[in-house]
């Protein structure tokens, strides 16, 4: 997260793609804490139980929708 902030100094939010178990366990907690220390917000895109093309498309569409709402 720190490298992202250094590379993009006006960065305030980062999309974060993860499975629900990953997001809810210690790895997700560590990512959230790293973002907090770096002063940025994470916008989670949580994958459902299926890891297939349709599920990835659904998640990326949701990220695009969030980005358009912020613009």
């Amino acid at each position: 997260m720190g490298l992202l902030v250094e590379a993009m100094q006006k960065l305030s939010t980062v999309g974060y793609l993860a499975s629900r178990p990953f997001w809810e366990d210690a790895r997700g907690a560590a990512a959230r804490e790293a973002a907090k220390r770096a002063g940025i917000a994470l916008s989670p895109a949580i994958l459902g139980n299926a890891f297939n093309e349709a599920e990835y498309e659904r998640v990326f569409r949701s990220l695009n929708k969030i980005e358009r709402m912020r613009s």
Side-chain angles (χ1 to χ4, degrees):
M1 300 294 172
L3 288 175
L4 283 173
V5 172
E6 283 184 42
M8 303 179 72
Q9 304 214 347
K10 294 183 180 183
L11 185 67
S12 63
T13 304
V14 172
Y16 191 83
L17 177 65
S19 65
R20 183 160 307 283
F22 188 97
W23 180 251
E24 293 175 351
D25 71 15
R27 297 168 293 181
R32 291 188 297 277
E33 180 59 30
K36 182 179 176 181
R37 283 193 309 263
I40 57 176
L42 287 182
S43 179
I46 306 300
L47 291 164
N49 293 329
F51 295 101
N52 56 38
E53 184 176 347
E55 181 62 6
Y56 280 93
E57 287 176 0
R58 180 193 67 78
V59 170
F60 285 116
R61 275 194 308 273
S62 72
L63 285 173
N64 283 335
K65 184 185 293 185
I66 291 168
E67 181 60 29
R68 283 193 303 271
M69 289 170 58
R70 287 189 180 135
S71 300

